[in-house]
Amino acid sequence: MAAKTLKIDGRQVSAAEDTTVLDAAAEAGIRIPTLCHLEGVYDAGACRLCLVEVAGTAKLLPACTTLVAEGMEVVTQSDRLRRYRRMTLELLLAERNHVCAVCVANGHCELQSLASEHGIDHVRYDYRFPRWGVDATHPRFGLDHNRCILCTRCVRVCWHIEGAGTKNVAGRGAKSFIIDDLNQPWGDSESCTSCGKCVLACPTGALFDRGSTVGEMERDRTKLEFIVNAREKKQWIVSE
Amino acid sequence: MTAHASGDKRFKILEAHIKKFQARQDALIEVLHKAQELFGYLEDDLLLFVAHRLKLPPSRVYGVATFYHFFCLKPQGAHTCVVCLGTACYVKGSAKVLAAAEAAAGIKSGETTPDSQLSLLTARCIGACAIAPAVVYDGQVAAKQTPEMVLAQLEKWREPCKATT
Ligand code: SF4
Ligand code: SF4
Ligand code: FES
Ligand code: FES
């Protein structure tokens, strides 16, 4: 496979042609913030946190769905990008009801850690305070729509890794929400195998193990990575 | 299983349409269009039927059906009245039937009355041309409908509410 050479943050990088900018950067030790990206699962470009600047294009491009190209010049850190990322995170926080103090994922939430990493101590937008419910019908897991950021990680692991296709997104825009089968109670779902991959994949406290209380929802993501590697790459490796 | 357990002819027409697309998964939107054209709206039953025929997860079918404004899932009303405007029914005067229903209910087709009692919908040939003009009341196909008949049915639905208020 043809290799491409490009520059990321001034550094010379070479990567196979079907590599995403995100992976090429990671390979070079450059970390780009992400939320909807999940290693080994196809990318959706849903969160827009990984936006980078590419010389020659005025638009910002999502690193997770942009492939490397010969001579490409990528910038992953700039004032403009930091502004946008901060804005994206604030909008995510304002969209639903993220009350970290009472959240099962407090201290282990990717949204929370990205927010603190970006110095967000307050949100400049009006909170929308939508009324979303909690699905507590599954015997082992729960889904609190109030904390969902619609990253669709759960949808993608359920579809592509587990193969059950239980979860999907219904509706559009601010009214979209995660459903099980035909928008029925999760506990009534015929397709769900109760594998728990969606719970492992969720970056926030939206999906949780039942019975967990504040701050208890710490996920062992290596379990998910193990399965993903095995199914996608036929490699049974435990990452150190 | 052939067509649908209910024996409703509309499922057979939908089935034929799905075959035309070789039951391709990427024909989902076209199939949903046809389904709505036939039934007026997309009930859970119908979505499941489509999911099974296209071998797709129900969640995907539901996701697509709710993404596009064009599709109407369960109508809001307690009762549904679907008037067929297909050629045969139209020729036999279904437009007058629809007009009578719209006037009586005070809503246009595609709408639901403010008290959520009735949703009025239209369909395009439901496969009952022999008994045109056909109207589907709460899922039951009724033959040779006249404006008087549709008004009588709407009146009948209204009665129990009158009794309670
Ligand atoms: S538990 Fe497994 S099968 Fe069930 S919704 Fe989650 S990922 Fe899908
Ligand atoms: S439930 Fe979790 S994983 Fe699924 S879309 Fe919402 S935030 Fe993402
Ligand atoms: S990680 Fe690239 S858009 Fe979310
Ligand atoms: S036109 Fe109405 S049933 Fe065929």
Side-chain angles (χ1 to χ4, degrees):
Chain A
M1 192 166 303
K4 306 276 176 196
T5 30
L6 62 153
K7 265 194 183 150
I8 306 181
D9 291 346
R11 214 177 307 172
Q12 199 79 29
V13 173
S14 96
E17 61 183 350
D18 62 346
T19 312
T20 62
V21 170
L22 182 67
D23 286 343
E27 194 63 30
I30 298 165
R31 181 180 160 267
I32 299 170
T34 59
L35 252 181
C36 67
H37 173 75
L38 195 60
E39 212 48 55
V41 181
Y42 82 99
D43 283 295
C47 74
R48 303 279 127 176
L49 215 67
C50 67
L51 289 179
V52 292
E53 292 171 1
V54 176
T57 11
K59 273 200 304 184
L60 299 175
L61 299 176
C64 69
T65 54
T66 304
L67 295 183
V68 295
E70 189 60 40
M72 202 180 209
E73 285 182 35
V74 181
V75 172
T76 75
Q77 296 294 340
S78 70
D79 283 343
R80 177 172 169 229
L81 288 172
R82 264 186 293 277
R83 258 202 330 275
Y84 273 109
R85 285 173 189 153
R86 205 193 139 116
M87 192 163 86
T88 305
L89 288 165
E90 285 183 57
L91 287 169
L92 284 174
L93 287 165
E95 195 168 22
R96 296 208 175 173
N97 305 304
H98 295 276
V99 192
C100 304
V102 297
C103 180
V104 287
N106 193 6
H108 314 290
C109 170
E110 291 180 36
L111 178 60
Q112 191 184 39
S113 42
L114 280 166
S116 75
E117 192 183 312
H118 286 78
I120 297 173
D121 43 18
H122 70 287
V123 170
R124 290 164 294 172
Y125 310 105
D126 289 338
Y127 284 94
R128 299 172 47 98
F129 299 119
R131 285 168 178 275
W132 287 101
V134 179
D135 185 331
T137 58
H138 192 283
R140 288 172 49 203
F141 316 122
L143 168 56
D144 185 346
H145 293 279
N146 292 290
R147 301 173 185 144
C148 175
I149 56 168
L150 295 168
C151 67
T152 71
R153 280 190 190 184
C154 55
V155 172
R156 287 173 284 141
V157 277
C158 185
W159 181 299
H160 290 268
I161 307 302
E162 178 57 10
T166 305
K167 288 190 155 31
N168 215 300
V169 184
R172 66 195 298 164
K175 287 193 191 131
S176 346
F177 61 103
I178 296 296
I179 50 160
D180 294 283
D181 292 351
L182 283 188
N183 186 19
Q184 57 205 64
W186 192 356
D188 294 348
S189 163
E190 282 183 20
S191 62
C192 176
T193 63
S194 301
C195 69
K197 288 185 186 67
C198 53
V199 180
L200 285 174
C202 184
T204 70
L207 283 164
F208 54 90
D209 290 327
R210 289 191 62 168
S212 33
T213 59
V214 179
E216 274 187 0
M217 202 47 218
E218 196 175 353
R219 296 155 226 261
D220 183 4
R221 213 87 77 187
T222 56
K223 264 195 198 163
L224 187 60
E225 268 169 41
F226 179 81
I227 295 288
V228 169
N229 274 325
R231 299 210 174 156
E232 297 289 284
K233 301 187 191 143
K234 308 283 172 250
Q235 291 174 352
W236 285 261
I237 40 167
V238 189
S239 50
E240 329 67 62
Chain B
M1 187 169 113
T2 54
H4 192 258
S6 74
D8 191 325
K9 225 175 175 182
R10 292 177 288 175
F11 282 102
K12 265 196 203 127
I13 302 177
L14 184 58
E15 179 92 63
H17 196 75
I18 291 172
K19 284 214 180 95
K20 220 167 73 193
F21 285 102
Q22 287 102 35
R24 278 196 345 254
Q25 297 187 329
D26 60 8
L28 174 58
I29 293 179
E30 285 88 341
V31 172
L32 287 177
H33 261 272
K34 189 71 188 177
Q36 176 151 317
E37 205 179 287
L38 286 167
F39 290 80
Y41 62 100
L42 304 170
E43 242 187 341
D44 280 4
D45 252 18
L46 190 51
L47 292 176
L48 268 185
F49 177 83
V50 170
H52 290 158
R53 281 297 182 271
L54 299 186
K55 303 192 172 82
L56 280 169
S59 66
R60 170 57 168 273
V61 175
Y62 191 92
V64 168
T66 53
F67 180 81
Y68 295 99
H69 294 306
F70 172 81
F71 296 121
C72 165
L73 274 76
K74 241 190 173 63
Q76 305 295 302
H79 296 289
T80 58
C81 171
V82 185
V83 180
C84 179
L85 291 182
T87 313
C89 292
Y90 193 85
V91 167
K92 296 265 177 127
S94 66
K96 281 201 194 100
V97 174
L98 176 64
E102 284 181 337
I107 50 170
K108 291 247 171 303
S109 78
E111 293 177 351
T112 298
T113 53
D115 63 359
S116 299
Q117 281 306 303
L118 175 74
S119 294
L120 200 53
L121 303 145
T122 57
R124 232 155 268 278
C125 191
I126 61 171
C129 306
I131 55 165
V135 176
V136 191
Y137 299 109
D138 285 345
Q140 292 298 111
V141 181
K144 304 204 162 102
Q145 294 296 291
T146 61
E148 292 72 37
M149 289 161 101
V150 79
L151 293 182
Q153 180 59 55
L154 298 194
E155 195 49 42
K156 216 157 129 206
W157 278 338
R158 226 174 272 156
E159 269 156 20
C161 328
K162 264 190 195 156
T164 57
T165 48

